[in-house]
Amino acid sequence: MVSSKNSPYDCGQLIVDITTTTFTRAKKRWRMAYAALYAVRVMLSLPKELMYKRSNYKEYSEISEYGSFGGFQGLKESQREKGDSNSGLEHEAKNSSPLELQSPAHDESRSYTSLEVKPSTSPDETGHYSSVPNNIDHAGLEKMVKEKDSAALGKFGGVTGITTSLKTNPEYGLPGNDAEINKRRELFGSNTYPKPPSKGLLYFVLDALKDMTILILCVCAALSLAFGIKEYGVEEGWYEGGSIFVAVIIVIVVSALSNFRQEIQFDKLSKISSNINVEVFRDRQRREISIFDVVVGDVIFLNIGDQIPADGVFLDGYSFQVDESSMTGESDYVEVDSRRHPFLLSGAKVADGYGRMLVTSVGMNTAWGEMMSSISQESNVRTPLQARLDKLTSSIGKVGLAVAFLVLLVLLIRYFTGNTKDENGNKEYIGSKTKTDDVLNAVVRIVSAAVTIVVVAIPEGLPLAVTLTLAYSMKRMMKDQAMVRKLSACETMGSATVICTDKTGTLTLNQMKVTKFWVGQESIAEDNLSIAPNVRELFYQGVAPNVRELFHQGVGLNTTGSVFMPLAGSKPEISGSPTEKAILYWAVLDLGMDMQELKPRYDILHVETFNSDKKRSGVLIKKKDDNTIHVHWKGAAEMIVATCSSYYDTNGTVKPLDVDTRSKLEKIIQGMAASSLRCIAFAHAQISEEEVEYSDDHKTHQKLKEDGLILLGIVGLKDPCRPGVINAVRICKAAGVDIKMITGDNIFTAKAIATECGILKKENEVQGGQVVEGVEFRNYTDAERRQKVDNIRVMARSSPFDKLLMVQCLKEKGHVVAVTGDGTNDAPALKEADIGLSMGIQGTEVAKESSDIIILDDNFNSVATVLRWGRCVYNNIQKFIQFQLTVNVAALVINFIAAVSAGEVPLTAVQLLWVNLIMDTLGALALATERPTNELMERQPVGRTAPLITNIMWRNLLAQALYQIAVLLILQFQGESIFNVTAAVNDTLIFNTFVLCQVFNEFNSRSMEKKNVFKGILRNRLFIGIVGITIVLQVVMVEFLKKFADTEKLNVQQWVVCIVIAAVSWPIGWVVKFIPVSEDPYFRIIKRSLHRFKNIF
C-alpha cells in the first residue's frame, strides 16, 4: 500500500490491485467501478484545484495538450523482478514528465498492474503549488539581454531554454492569481524606477530668495530694523523693518507654495503619462494591465508603435523591427527574430510587424531603468507666453527703476537742502548739527521708499498669474479628458486657427460592425445588424464551402487580433483593433470560424503587416493536410480589387474580372462608401513552392504575390459618428477655427462622414477643391499647395507624409495648427504642428510621446474643449495684466508726483507692499480661476503676432488708472481740508481708498468687453471668497494694525466715503466699454505716425 497523505484530495488511502488470480470476476468488476468513480472525482475536482492553487502551470499546459489530467503519475507496474526485460521502464517513467501517461509493457507473464495516484509536485508551506523559478541565474540573464550576448543565449538553451527556466508557458502565459504574481515580484523586482527625490518646499523658498528685488528689500528691511531699534528701542523700533520682513516672507511663501504645487502637479502628470497599458497573456487570456504590473515571465503582445515595457526575448511574430534610437542613438531599425537576434530592450519602440516577447528583467534591472533613474523631468520650463511676460515685466521694471531713481534723487535733494520737516515742523537736516544716526535713518527711509516703488512697479504677479492659470487649467482639463504634457500647449491652443483631425475614433465612435457582405456581385446580407443571428446564418449558408474556408484562412490567419471562447454558449472574447475585432466577430458568429481548430491546421510562413502607407496586410500560409501554399491579402477595397484578375462567386466558381465586372465592383464599393461604410476586401491565391518569391538574393525574406489574385469578397463596416461631434464642429467653426479631416479611407466614405459631421456642406453645395486625395495633394507644386490648402476640407486616402505636408503648408501661410494623430507614422506631423493632440485609447506610445496633449477619450468633443480652455488661459492672463498694470500706473504716478511736489510719498513701504501682496497673489488667484465661457468661442482666434496688451485692455486700464490718480491726488493735497481730518487719518484714507479701488476693479477685470461683469459670478465661489478675504484683511490692517501698518482707525462715515469713491470704478468701467477702439494696435499706429512725421521733415 502506498500512502496518500500528501494528496490534496480528501479520498483517503487508495491502491487498487486488480489481478486475475486473486479476485473473482464480480469482485474485480466492483473494484473497476470504484476506480472509475475515483478517477471521475479527481477529474471533477482538478479544475477547482487549478483555479485556486498555484499548481505548476507548465504541467497544466501539458494536461491540455495530451488530454490527460496532470498532478498524477500514469500507470506503471507495481512489482518488478530483477532481470526483467522491462526493468528499464520504471527508470524511464521516473525521468519523464510526470504528466505523460506511461503505459505498462504488454508482458503476457504479468497478470496484474497497479495504479498509483499522487501529486506531481510538492506543496509549499501555504499548501499551494508554486511554479515560481528558484534556481535560475537571473543576473546572467539580465546581462545577456543588455549586452545582446548570443553565446550566453546558447548556454541558457536559447529562447526555449529561457522559457523553461522561467517556468512560463508561451501558449497560456502565467497564472493570473495574485500569489503567483507577487512571488515573482518579490523574487525579481517590480517594473518601476525609483526617480530622484522631487524638490521640496524649502528648495522653492531658497529659490525665491534669489530674486534681486527680494534681496534688496531684505537689505533695506535689515537696515530699517537696525536703525529703528536704535532710535526708538525694541518695543516700537521694529515696526517698519519688521513689517517689511513680514511682507517679504509672505511673498516668498506664497511664491514657493505656488511653485511647489506646480512641481507636485508635474509629478502626478508624469506618473499618469508613464502608466502605459500593455497586453499580456495570463490564464490563457489576453489581458490589459499597467506597465508597472508586468513581472518576469510575462508573455507580452507587441504591435507597431508600442513601447517595449521591459527587457526580454522575442518569442514569435512577423516582420518585427524595433527602433532602439532612444537607447543606442542609432536611427536604423533593428530586425528581431527568435533565433539569431531575440533581444528586446525596454524603452525601444516597435517600428514594424507584431509579435510576442518573454519578459526576463524589469524595473531597475533593465538598461532603460538604469538610465531613467538618473533623469528627472524638468517642470520649470518657460512657456512662450511666460517668456513674453518676462520681457514685459522687465520693461515695466525698467520704467519703475527710472521712476524710483528720480524719486530717490528728489527726496535726497529735498532732505539735504533742508526742505523736509519732521512731525513738529522742524527741518530734518540742519547741516553739521544733524546727528549721523539721524542722517543715516533718513537716507535708509528714503532708499526704502524708492525700493518699495520699484517693488510696486514691477508686476511680480504676472509670472505667478501664469503659473496659477496653467496649473488650474491643467487640473480642470484632466477632468475634461485632456492630459497636458507640455505647458506651452495650454496657451498655444487658444491661438489655433486650423485643426487637422482624424476620422476613425475621433469623429466616429470607433465601434465598428460588419453590416454588408458581398461575394462577387451578390450581396449576402443587407444590414445584418437588424437580423437575428440564427436567421443571419441562413444567408451565409448560400456561400460555397470552399469560399467559406478561404474566408476562414483570410480572416483568422491574417490578423493581429485574437479570439477566446470562454464557455459554451458565451460570447467570444475578441481583442485587437476595432477593425480587426469587427471582422473577427463577424467571421466567428456568421461564417462559423473556429480559431482554435483553424490555427493548428496551418503553418504561417510570412506576414506583411498593415501600415498607413500600404493600407493592406498579407499572409503566406501552408496547409498541413496537403502542403498547399496560399497567399491572403486584406485591406482597402479599391486597392485589393486592383490586384485581382478574377473573383469567386457564391457557388465557389472562379470567374474572370473583366472591365464590366470591375466597373460594377467599383460602383458597389462607392455605394457602400457613400453610406459611410469602411470597405475591406479579401483576396487569395494558391501558389506552388517554386512560385514563392523572395525580397533578397539570399532567399531569407519571403515576399507575397501581389498581382493576379482572386477576389474573395468585400465587407462594409459601419462606424457611427460620435454624439455631439456635429455641435463641436459647429462651435469650432463659429470660433473661426477651420476643421480639416485627414483620413486613410476612400474619398466617398470620407465625404459621407465629413458631411454627416458638418465639416462639409450637403453634397450639392460642396465646392470644387474641398475634397482631395492624398496622392493629388502630394503631387501639387509648392505654390499650388499654398494656393489651395485653405480651401481643402477633406483629404482622403492620405498617408502620414501627406498629413505632414499639409501641416507644413498651413504653417507657412501663418496658421497656428493643431493636429490629431494616433499612429506611429503620425509622429512627424504631431511634432511639426504647433499643438500635437494624440489619442489616449487608440494612440501608440510613439504618437503620445510626440504630442503636447493626450485626448484621453479619443473624442473630438474633447479637442473642442481643449480649444476652449486654451482661449480661457490666454484670456485670464490678459485680464490679470489689465488689472495689474492699472495698479502699477496709478501707484507710480501718485508716488512720483507726491514725492516731487511734497517731498514724501503718501503710501508707506508697508502699505505699498501690502497692496503689492494683494494684487500679485490674491488678484492672480481670483482671475486665474475663471472658467471658460461660451463668449470665448464667439471670437476670432488670436494670431501669432497679436500684441499681448490689446487696444481694449489699454482703454480699460487707462480709464481706471486716471480715475484713481485723480482721486488720490485730490485726497493727497486737499483731503485734510475736505474731510477736516489730521494728516495721519488722511494718509489712511488714501491707502484705504486705493486698496478698495483695486477690489472693485477686480470685478471690472472679469470681462474686458462685456458690460455686465457680474454674469456668472455666483458660479465662481473662489472669486467671491478671495474678494471677501481681501476686504477682511484690509479691515484688519486699518483698524487693528495701527503701528504695524502706520494707519489710523476710521469711523463708519469715512469707511462709507472710501467705499463710495471706490465703487465709482464700476460705472466708469461700464461707460468706457461704449468707446470703440481700433483693431490696429496703438503702438503700430504710433510707429506709423512717427515714420510719416520723419518723411515730412
Side-chain angles (χ1 to χ4, degrees):
M1 301 292 285
V2 178
S3 174
S4 62
K5 63 182 180 180
N6 291 328
S7 174
Y9 307 102
D10 298 326
C11 301
Q13 188 179 39
L14 176 66
I15 294 180
V16 180
D17 294 326
I18 306 171
T19 66
T20 56
T21 57
T22 306
F23 299 110
T24 62
R25 183 176 296 180
K27 288 181 179 181
K28 183 179 178 181
R29 286 176 177 174
W30 277 110
R31 280 155 179 76
M32 287 283 290
Y34 184 72
L37 289 171
Y38 175 76
V40 170
R41 184 175 178 181
V42 169
M43 292 175 69
L44 290 175
S45 62
L46 183 61
K48 183 177 179 181
E49 187 72 12
L50 290 171
M51 289 294 290
Y52 294 102
K53 294 191 177 183
R54 294 172 297 171
S55 57
N56 187 306
Y57 218 70
K58 180 184 175 184
E59 295 171 357
Y60 171 69
S61 68
E62 292 173 352
I63 293 170
S64 303
E65 180 178 353
Y66 290 105
S68 59
F69 45 93
F72 294 88
Q73 289 186 338
L75 295 172
K76 70 175 183 178
E77 293 179 315
S78 60
Q79 296 180 2
R80 299 188 184 277
E81 294 180 3
K82 292 182 179 181
D84 191 282
S85 62
N86 294 320
S87 61
L89 184 60
E90 184 177 3
H91 177 73
E92 182 183 347
K94 287 179 180 178
N95 291 332
S96 64
S97 169
L99 292 157
E100 296 178 1
L101 289 176
Q102 303 295 330
S103 300
H106 295 283
D107 187 351
E108 294 181 359
S109 64
R110 300 288 179 182
S111 57
Y112 62 91
T113 62
S114 169
L115 176 65
E116 181 180 357
V117 184
K118 70 175 183 178
S120 63
T121 58
S122 300
D124 57 18
E125 295 177 359
T126 61
H128 296 295
Y129 290 81
S130 173
S131 60
V132 178
N134 294 312
N135 301 319
I136 183 173
D137 180 13
H138 192 240
L141 190 60
E142 292 171 12
K143 185 178 180 182
M144 176 200 72
V145 176
K146 288 178 187 177
E147 298 179 358
K148 300 183 179 180
D149 190 344
S150 300
L153 177 66
K155 293 178 181 178
F156 276 99
V159 173
T160 305
I162 295 172
T163 305
T164 305
S165 299
L166 291 175
K167 295 194 176 180
T168 297
N169 184 338
E171 300 302 321
Y172 301 122
L174 294 177
N177 59 76
D178 293 338
E180 171 83 13
I181 302 303
N182 290 336
K183 217 165 188 183
R184 286 180 177 264
R185 192 174 288 120
E186 291 172 8
L187 191 61
F188 301 115
S190 62
N191 200 29
T192 54
Y193 314 119
K195 295 184 179 180
S198 57
K199 299 167 185 174
L201 181 60
L202 182 61
Y203 171 86
F204 294 103
V205 170
L206 295 175
D207 188 59
L209 278 170
K210 295 176 184 177
D211 184 80
M212 184 57 66
T213 308
I214 295 293
L215 291 175
I216 294 173
L217 270 177
C218 288
V219 171
C220 290
L223 291 173
S224 179
L225 186 63
F227 286 111
I229 292 174
K230 184 177 180 182
E231 184 175 358
Y232 301 106
V234 177
E235 192 170 334
E236 294 187 2
W238 69 273
Y239 288 140
E240 186 166 343
S243 62
I244 296 174
F245 268 127
V246 170
V248 168
I249 289 170
I250 293 174
V251 171
I252 289 173
V253 169
V254 171
S255 176
L257 281 173
S258 175
N259 291 328
F260 180 61
R261 288 192 63 186
Q262 185 181 356
E263 178 78 7
I264 293 173
Q265 183 78 4
F266 264 90
D267 285 343
K268 289 181 180 177
L269 288 176
S270 178
K271 289 177 182 176
I272 293 171
S273 61
S274 60
N275 186 14
I276 303 165
N277 284 336
V278 297
E279 268 195 314
V280 302
F281 217 34
R282 289 184 182 173
D283 279 341
R284 306 174 66 187
Q285 295 183 41
R286 288 174 76 155
R287 295 183 182 180
E288 202 171 76
I289 64 171
S290 167
I291 189 174
F292 303 133
D293 295 332
V294 171
V295 296
V296 170
D298 263 324
V299 175
I300 296 178
F301 292 87
L302 297 171
N303 290 300
I304 294 179
D306 286 349
Q307 176 179 313
I308 297 174
D311 284 0
V313 291
F314 183 73
L315 289 175
D316 51 45
Y318 302 96
S319 306
F320 202 79
Q321 292 182 326
V322 296
D323 176 9
E324 294 182 350
S325 57
S326 59
M327 295 294 299
T328 63
E330 297 291 336
S331 58
D332 293 337
Y333 295 155
V334 178
E335 191 165 336
V336 179
D337 58 58
S338 58
R339 292 184 180 178
R340 294 170 299 170
H341 191 282
F343 310 108
L344 296 172
L345 299 178
S346 61
K349 308 292 189 304
V350 180
D352 195 14
Y354 63 90
R356 299 188 307 155
M357 70 170 287
L358 174 70
V359 176
T360 58
S361 53
V362 294
M364 288 302 297
N365 297 324
T366 65
W368 182 256
E370 291 176 358
M371 186 174 68
M372 286 298 292
S373 63
S374 60
I375 299 175
S376 61
Q377 185 176 357
E378 187 60 46
S379 62
N380 58 355
V381 177
R382 309 300 284 172
T383 68
L385 184 56
Q386 283 177 321
R388 291 176 70 183
L389 287 176
D390 288 342
K391 189 176 180 180
L392 176 65
T393 302
S394 176
S395 301
I396 296 173
K398 290 175 183 177
V399 174
L401 191 62
V403 173
F405 179 76
L406 284 175
V407 169
L408 177 65
L409 194 62
V410 169
L411 290 179
L412 286 173
I413 292 171
R414 289 179 63 87
Y415 175 77
F416 285 108
T417 56
N419 290 318
T420 57
K421 298 179 181 180
D422 58 18
E423 296 175 355
N424 300 321
N426 300 321
K427 290 183 178 181
E428 290 186 335
Y429 182 76
I430 50 177
S432 59
K433 296 180 181 180
T434 308
K435 295 179 181 179
T436 304
D437 287 351
D438 292 338
V439 173
L440 289 174
N441 283 337
V443 171
V444 168
R445 187 170 64 253
I446 291 170
V447 172
S448 179
V451 170
T452 308
I453 290 175
V454 175
V455 175
V456 89
I458 297 175
E460 291 173 322
L462 288 181
L464 182 62
V466 176
T467 301
L468 289 172
T469 303
L470 293 176
Y472 176 76
S473 301
M474 286 171 65
K475 187 176 180 180
R476 297 298 308 181
M477 288 168 74
M478 275 294 291
K479 294 183 179 179
D480 290 338
Q481 302 300 315
M483 188 182 79
V484 179
R485 297 184 69 250
K486 298 178 183 176
L487 274 176
S488 58
C490 282
E491 59 202 42
T492 311
M493 192 65 188
S495 304
T497 57
V498 177
I499 298 176
C500 298
T501 178
D502 289 336
K503 175 187 78 72
T504 305
T506 307
L507 297 172
T508 61
L509 285 171
N510 211 11
Q511 296 175 357
M512 298 189 183
K513 293 182 180 178
V514 175
T515 59
K516 288 191 176 182
F517 175 40
W518 289 75
V519 175
Q521 303 179 54
E522 186 175 344
S523 177
I524 303 302
E526 291 287 338
D527 194 13
N528 62 17
L529 290 176
S530 60
I531 305 174
N534 56 342
V535 178
R536 198 159 64 227
E537 290 179 5
L538 297 175
F539 286 96
Y540 296 100
Q541 288 178 1
V543 180
N546 64 322
V547 176
R548 294 179 70 172
E549 183 183 358
L550 290 173
F551 261 108
H552 291 175
Q553 297 174 12
V555 173
L557 302 177
N558 185 15
T559 181
T560 57
S562 65
V563 179
F564 176 73
M565 301 295 292
L567 292 171
S570 300
K571 289 186 176 181
E573 295 179 7
I574 299 176
S575 61
S577 69
T579 304
E580 295 282 7
K581 287 166 72 174
I583 294 174
L584 286 171
Y585 194 82
W586 163 75
V588 170
L589 292 188
D590 295 345
L591 293 182
M593 183 182 73
D594 187 341
M595 288 282 277
Q596 293 179 344
E597 180 185 346
L598 178 71
K599 284 191 172 183
R601 294 164 47 201
Y602 298 89
D603 287 328
I604 297 178
L605 305 179
H606 184 63
V607 171
E608 290 281 346
T609 55
F610 178 89
N611 63 43
S612 302
D613 293 324
K614 298 180 294 186
K615 300 195 185 306
R616 61 180 178 177
S617 64
V619 64
L620 181 68
I621 60 174
K622 185 175 185 180
K623 193 174 182 179
K624 294 180 179 179
D625 294 346
D626 52 14
N627 290 327
T628 54
I629 299 175
H630 303 264
V631 175
H632 282 276
W633 284 101
K634 174 184 71 178
E638 65 269 28
M639 293 185 175
I640 295 296
V641 170
T643 64
C644 296
S645 58
S646 54
Y647 70 96
Y648 281 102
D649 63 11
T650 53
N651 297 321
T653 305
V654 178
K655 295 184 177 180
L657 192 57
D658 53 28
V659 176
D660 291 338
T661 307
R662 192 179 295 274
S663 176
K664 290 179 182 178
L665 289 176
E666 288 174 355
K667 288 181 180 179
I668 289 170
I669 294 169
Q670 291 174 13
M672 286 196 290
S675 302
S676 305
L677 299 184
R678 169 176 283 188
C679 302
I680 305 294
F682 296 84
H684 161 262
Q686 181 174 332
I687 61 175
S688 62
E689 291 191 15
E690 291 76 18
E691 293 179 284
V692 175
E693 300 177 10
Y694 294 88
S695 58
D696 59 349
D697 296 334
H698 300 288
K699 293 188 176 184
T700 55
H701 294 85
Q702 293 165 325
K703 184 180 177 182
L704 272 63
K705 180 181 175 68
E706 296 183 357
D707 52 12
L709 306 176
I710 306 172
L711 180 68
L712 285 175
I714 304 170
V715 295
L717 292 87
K718 180 69 175 176
D719 187 13
C721 285
R722 286 184 178 274
V725 74
I726 297 174
N727 186 52
V729 170
R730 181 186 58 77
I731 290 172
C732 289
K733 283 186 172 182
V737 179
D738 193 16
I739 308 297
K740 299 184 186 297
M741 187 178 84
I742 303 175
T743 177
D745 281 336
N746 70 42
I747 196 165
F748 300 100
T749 305
K751 284 173 67 174
I753 292 291
T755 304
E756 190 176 344
C757 293
I759 296 173
L760 285 177
K761 295 180 180 179
K762 293 182 180 178
E763 188 71 27
N764 54 0
E765 299 178 14
V766 174
Q767 301 174 1
Q770 288 190 335
V771 182
V772 298
E773 287 192 332
V775 64
E776 181 183 351
F777 183 78
R778 196 183 314 143
N779 293 329
Y780 287 152
T781 63
D782 291 341
E784 287 176 330
R785 270 196 294 269
R786 282 194 294 271
Q787 180 186 353
K788 297 180 179 182
V789 70
D790 285 332
N791 188 45
I792 294 173
R793 295 291 177 271
V794 176
M795 185 159 67
R797 283 292 178 236
S798 64
S799 68
F801 178 71
D802 299 328
K803 183 184 284 190
L804 177 62
L805 268 181
M806 176 167 278
V807 172
Q808 291 172 338
C809 188
L810 288 168
K811 288 183 70 176
E812 286 174 7
K813 296 202 68 175
H815 288 286
V816 179
V817 186
V819 171
T820 69
D822 56 7
T824 302
N825 294 331
D826 289 328
L830 289 170
K831 286 184 177 179
E832 180 70 24
D834 296 286
I835 313 102
L837 304 162
S838 63
M839 301 295 107
I841 299 173
Q842 291 299 320
T844 64
E845 293 309 314
V846 176
K848 290 176 185 177
E849 286 191 5
S850 303
S851 66
D852 305 303
I853 298 174
I854 300 176
I855 305 300
L856 299 176
D857 60 355
D858 291 14
N859 194 339
F860 186 79
N861 292 342
S862 299
V863 176
T865 301
V866 170
L867 177 64
R868 187 190 300 265
W869 270 108
R871 293 193 172 191
C872 181
V873 168
Y874 198 87
N875 189 57
N876 284 350
I877 292 170
Q878 283 188 317
K879 290 176 187 177
F880 182 76
I881 291 173
Q882 175 185 300
F883 173 68
Q884 178 75 65
L885 291 185
T886 304
V887 181
N888 297 136
V889 172
L892 277 175
V893 174
I894 292 165
N895 280 285
F896 179 73
I897 293 175
V900 171
S901 60
E904 61 180 12
V905 291
L907 300 172
T908 66
V910 175
Q911 290 170 354
L912 284 175
L913 284 169
W914 168 241
V915 172
N916 196 48
L917 181 65
I918 294 175
M919 299 313 110
D920 284 359
T921 309
L922 298 179
L925 188 60
L927 293 173
T929 54
E930 287 284 342
R931 295 193 181 188
T933 60
N934 293 330
E935 287 80 4
L936 290 173
M937 301 300 284
E938 295 172 1
R939 305 175 187 171
Q940 292 301 302
V942 179
R944 286 182 186 275
T945 58
L948 195 57
I949 306 175
T950 63
N951 292 352
I952 291 172
M953 293 168 65
W954 281 118
R955 177 196 67 188
N956 295 341
L957 75 88
L958 287 176
Q960 295 294 336
L962 289 173
Y963 169 70
Q964 292 178 21
I965 291 168
V967 168
L968 296 180
L969 287 177
I970 291 172
L971 290 176
Q972 170 69 18
F973 295 107
Q974 300 295 327
E976 294 179 31
S977 58
I978 292 173
F979 298 106
N980 192 24
V981 294
T982 62
V985 173
N986 189 57
D987 287 343
T988 304
L989 285 172
I990 293 173
F991 169 59
N992 199 36
T993 303
F994 185 61
V995 171
L996 291 177
C997 279
Q998 312 320 318
V999 172
F1000 280 85
N1001 191 38
E1002 211 163 333
F1003 288 86
N1004 288 328
S1005 299
R1006 290 189 70 241
S1007 176
M1008 291 181 286
E1009 296 183 63
K1010 282 196 305 183
K1011 298 177 179 67
N1012 181 12
V1013 295
F1014 303 104
K1015 184 178 180 181
I1017 196 168
L1018 295 177
R1019 291 195 296 270
N1020 193 343
R1021 297 178 182 177
L1022 185 59
F1023 182 90
I1024 297 172
I1026 289 171
V1027 170
I1029 291 170
T1030 306
I1031 294 171
V1032 170
L1033 291 175
Q1034 179 63 18
V1035 171
V1036 171
M1037 283 285 290
V1038 171
E1039 298 295 328
F1040 302 103
L1041 299 177
K1042 177 182 176 181
K1043 293 183 178 180
F1044 179 79
D1046 198 13
T1047 57
E1048 295 289 336
K1049 287 188 177 183
L1050 301 179
N1051 57 38
V1052 175
Q1053 183 182 357
Q1054 290 165 345
W1055 269 101
V1056 171
V1057 169
C1058 293
I1059 292 171
V1060 170
I1061 293 173
V1064 176
S1065 300
W1066 284 353
I1068 289 175
W1070 183 76
V1071 170
V1072 79
K1073 288 174 182 175
F1074 284 98
I1075 301 174
V1077 293
S1078 171
E1079 292 185 1
D1080 204 8
Y1082 287 146
F1083 285 108
R1084 195 176 297 169
I1085 295 173
I1086 293 171
K1087 285 181 180 178
R1088 198 160 47 235
S1089 301
L1090 289 174
H1091 183 69
R1092 289 175 184 171
F1093 183 77
K1094 287 180 180 178
N1095 290 337
I1096 293 173
F1097 294 97

